[in-house]
Amino acid sequence: MSAKTIILTGASDGIGAAAARQLADSPHRLLLVGRSVEKTRAVAEETGSEWFTADFARLDDVRTLAARIADAVGDTGIDVLANNAGGIFGDRTPTVDGFEKTMQVNHLAPFLLTNLLLPALLRAGGAVINTSSVAHRLFGHIDVDDLDNARRFSPNKAYGDAKLANVLFAESLHERFHAQGLSAVAFHPGTVQTNFASDSSSIMRLVYRTPLRRLLLIGPDKGGATLRWFVEGTPGETWISGAYYDERVLTSRVNPQVHDTALAEALWQRSAELVGIPTP
């Protein structure tokens, strides 16, 4: 197996930490990103990885993170960027940047990070892996003029919209940059037993707390193994660029908006405007 330079966000807990542990015995160079200094450092020390911290609810943190990663990888480029950080939150509370937190943490922040790291990704002919969710199909319906859901907010809809944005973002990356060697994919890792939704008022929080969770949910190691499968896979062989997978299975069971190419383009333009980057 050839060694890759891999950036893994959301690596301090859940499937991100599990994937990092599973990749620890590989020849790859792992650069882990988490919000908690203590948790991220602990996983990095356990796995022999480099580590960075950033709060995705602060876009200045993301800009600083991108600059530090770019300096760390230098001319070698980035083989894989796994946009795995995310979560579902409670009430519609704006971030310091003025955006609804669920959309910012799950979509706007990784959108910004990916675009800032594009030169390094293109230099290596890299891949972008977006951890999405079946929630994109169950709850998502994006209005690019109301990404913050000011008109109709619920934790489930906000999360569904953000996870739908992850799928559309993977499609747009493929359409824009695949001819230059970049690949992108979005996937649902399975419904995993983690601290996910613990800070939310969503009914999903009850599923994660019920005694039946061991029957309804999979363990983080299994979800981490699926993330590792995409990270170590070969685009065009292991998985198809621009597609969405339910765990490791290519599926047509997607939100109808996934097929709306005009929406994907409008989402890219609006996201770029909101985070302050030019659009190619």
Side-chain angles (χ1 to χ4, degrees):
M1 181 187 302
S2 60
K4 297 181 177 182
T5 297
I6 299 168
I7 314 299
L8 176 56
T9 74
S12 62
D13 205 350
I15 71 170
R21 293 185 182 104
Q22 292 167 22
L23 288 163
D25 61 354
S26 72
H28 308 307
R29 179 186 180 188
L30 293 180
L31 295 88
L32 309 183
V33 179
R35 182 169 63 90
S36 164
V37 172
E38 293 78 13
K39 288 183 177 181
T40 310
R41 180 196 292 123
V43 177
E45 290 176 350
E46 181 183 350
T47 58
S49 307
E50 300 163 67
W51 61 283
F52 306 84
T53 56
D55 183 351
F56 278 19
R58 306 180 67 90
L59 292 182
D60 278 348
D61 274 21
V62 178
R63 296 181 182 100
T64 300
L65 171 66
R68 291 182 63 204
I69 290 175
D71 286 343
V73 301
D75 293 334
T76 60
I78 296 170
D79 295 291
V80 179
L81 169 60
N83 287 318
N84 176 66
I88 184 170
F89 306 104
D91 296 336
R92 188 180 169 275
T93 303
T95 67
V96 295
D97 302 289
F99 306 124
E100 192 275 314
K101 186 176 182 180
T102 311
M103 181 58 72
Q104 176 164 327
V105 170
N106 289 276
H107 171 61
L108 291 177
F111 177 88
L112 175 60
L113 179 64
T114 304
N115 275 276
L116 293 175
L117 294 178
L118 263 176
L121 284 160
L122 291 172
R123 193 156 56 243
V128 178
I129 316 295
N130 289 343
T131 301
S132 183
S133 169
V134 69
H136 92 277
R137 176 171 58 85
L138 299 176
F139 307 121
H141 187 82
I142 286 179
D143 178 353
V144 293
D145 295 320
D146 187 26
L147 289 181
D148 283 350
N149 279 301
R151 292 193 287 270
R152 189 162 65 92
F153 178 86
S154 74
N156 282 354
K157 184 179 187 301
Y159 184 68
D161 285 0
K163 295 292 100 179
L164 175 55
N166 295 157
V167 181
L168 293 169
F169 182 36
E171 289 183 351
S172 292
L173 284 167
H174 173 83
E175 290 298 322
R176 287 170 176 264
F177 301 108
H178 192 61
Q180 300 177 48
L182 185 74
S183 298
V185 70
F187 78 104
H188 169 58
T191 310
V192 185
Q193 289 183 47
T194 66
N195 292 324
F196 176 83
S198 60
D199 295 332
S200 170
S201 58
S202 166
I203 193 171
M204 292 171 69
R205 178 181 53 146
L206 302 180
V207 176
Y208 284 82
R209 290 184 172 183
T210 175
L212 293 175
R213 65 187 182 277
R214 289 181 177 83
L215 297 177
L216 299 173
L217 310 178
I218 64 172
D221 285 344
K222 184 176 180 182
T226 300
L227 175 54
R228 178 181 182 175
W229 184 79
F230 282 98
V231 165
E232 290 196 305
T234 302
E237 296 180 15
T238 312
W239 48 264
I240 299 170
S241 182
Y244 169 78
Y245 284 73
D246 189 339
E247 298 188 52
R248 304 184 193 192
V249 178
L250 182 66
T251 179
S252 59
R253 297 188 67 201
V254 295
N255 189 303
Q257 286 190 309
V258 166
H259 304 299
D260 189 338
T261 56
L263 175 65
E265 176 62 20
L267 177 64
W268 183 291
Q269 296 291 337
R270 181 61 174 153
S271 299
E273 176 187 347
L274 292 176
V275 302
I277 61 172
T279 56

